[in-house]
Amino acid sequence: MDLRLRDTVVLVTGASRGLGAAIALALAAEGAYVVAAARSRDGLREVAAEGGGRITPIAADMRDEAEVAALPGQVVARHGRIDGLINNAGIAPAGKFADQDPAVWKDTLAVNVIAPMLLAQAAGRHMIAQGGGRIVNVASTTGVRGKPMLVGYSASKGAVIRMTEALAAEWAAKNVQVNAIAPGAFSTEAQKAVLESPDLLRRRVARIPAGRMAEPQELVPLACLLVSPLSSFTTGATFVVDGGESGKL
């Protein structure tokens, strides 16, 4: 199936590794022009080198509101438009809620909620002016069902899902579609501690009906479809990709 992504322009955050890198490379393979944003300059260079000349790396810190708000404008300055935004960057500090410093929450909300809001706002203005576009927010299954030791992260991803729904309703008439993906357990660097511990891995996999963790490439087709013009009547939805874990009683 042709996803009609050739020569479209997509901004992907958190694109130096893991899910973001896999999505950026897949979009480039589909013929899109991708602007990959993240803090790691080295990681971005590696991803861009694999992108066949279709990936432009831009180093940006999601905690820096000025840098974040400027990203969509940089995309438009380079390519003349912005057709898609994938808000993938995020952090997930773990800890006992009773002992957690409020500064940890503020940092989590800055990266996981405020940055996607600023990006959606800035990109959305361009999308509305050009006649449409698509925004995909990468949330988490912890935003659907809260998880112990990740209270702040769960709260932030729950906020992302609600923002997705409300913004989708507000911008549907502007031909801007807004959807979310809620991944479960994926084999990425974010799960390094689990992957390197046979006991932790065994216990983690035991909670997944599919009996395994997913690979980043298993999220890629959905992300590409949601940023494609083919998804023009799909908006306000959250797609859970977790091997059946959140649906298990």
Side-chain angles (χ1 to χ4, degrees):
M1 177 184 292
D2 180 6
L3 294 178
R4 302 181 193 172
L5 286 168
R6 176 158 295 280
D7 296 335
T8 59
V9 180
V10 185
L11 169 61
V12 183
T13 68
S16 63
R17 62 180 187 173
L19 296 177
I23 291 168
L25 289 168
L27 288 169
E30 289 288 333
Y33 291 109
V34 180
V35 175
R39 283 194 303 169
S40 172
R41 295 178 185 272
D42 290 341
L44 286 174
R45 279 195 289 266
E46 291 177 11
V47 172
E50 294 182 49
R54 287 188 169 266
I55 298 179
T56 301
I58 296 182
D61 188 340
M62 294 298 113
R63 296 170 175 82
D64 187 319
E65 293 186 9
E67 281 189 16
V68 169
L71 277 172
Q74 291 178 269
V75 175
V76 174
R78 176 176 290 271
H79 294 288
R81 61 186 295 111
I82 179 168
D83 300 295
L85 163 65
I86 298 183
N87 277 316
N88 170 72
I91 58 173
K96 295 180 180 179
F97 176 72
D99 302 328
Q100 208 159 44
D101 191 315
V104 175
W105 272 65
K106 291 178 182 178
D107 194 42
T108 302
L109 293 173
V111 175
N112 295 0
V113 181
I114 301 302
M117 180 276 289
L118 291 170
L119 285 163
Q121 190 176 60
R125 292 190 187 110
H126 291 290
M127 291 175 181
I128 290 169
Q130 70 193 19
R134 287 153 296 282
I135 297 171
V136 179
N137 296 317
V138 179
S140 167
T141 50
T142 63
V144 179
R145 299 178 67 178
K147 187 173 183 179
M149 304 293 289
L150 285 171
V151 180
Y153 180 67
S154 298
S156 72
K157 291 304 185 177
V160 166
I161 291 172
R162 296 288 87 78
M163 179 177 73
T164 297
E165 295 167 350
L167 189 53
E170 185 167 331
W171 281 354
K174 305 291 186 182
N175 193 31
V176 176
Q177 293 81 49
V178 188
N179 293 288
I181 302 174
F186 276 73
S187 296
T188 65
E189 287 187 33
Q191 295 289 330
K192 184 177 180 181
V194 173
L195 294 169
E196 292 181 348
S197 168
D199 182 55
L200 287 177
L201 181 59
R202 177 186 56 78
R203 285 188 284 163
R204 183 69 186 89
V205 168
R207 298 199 299 269
I208 305 171
R212 63 180 179 84
M213 293 178 70
E215 296 299 323
Q217 287 72 23
E218 293 180 279
L219 193 79
V220 163
L222 176 59
C224 289
L225 176 61
L226 291 177
V227 84
S228 155
L230 297 182
S231 65
S232 59
F233 200 64
T234 302
T235 195
T238 296
F239 297 87
V240 175
V241 186
D242 69 350
E245 184 177 5
S246 61
K248 185 175 66 175
L249 293 176

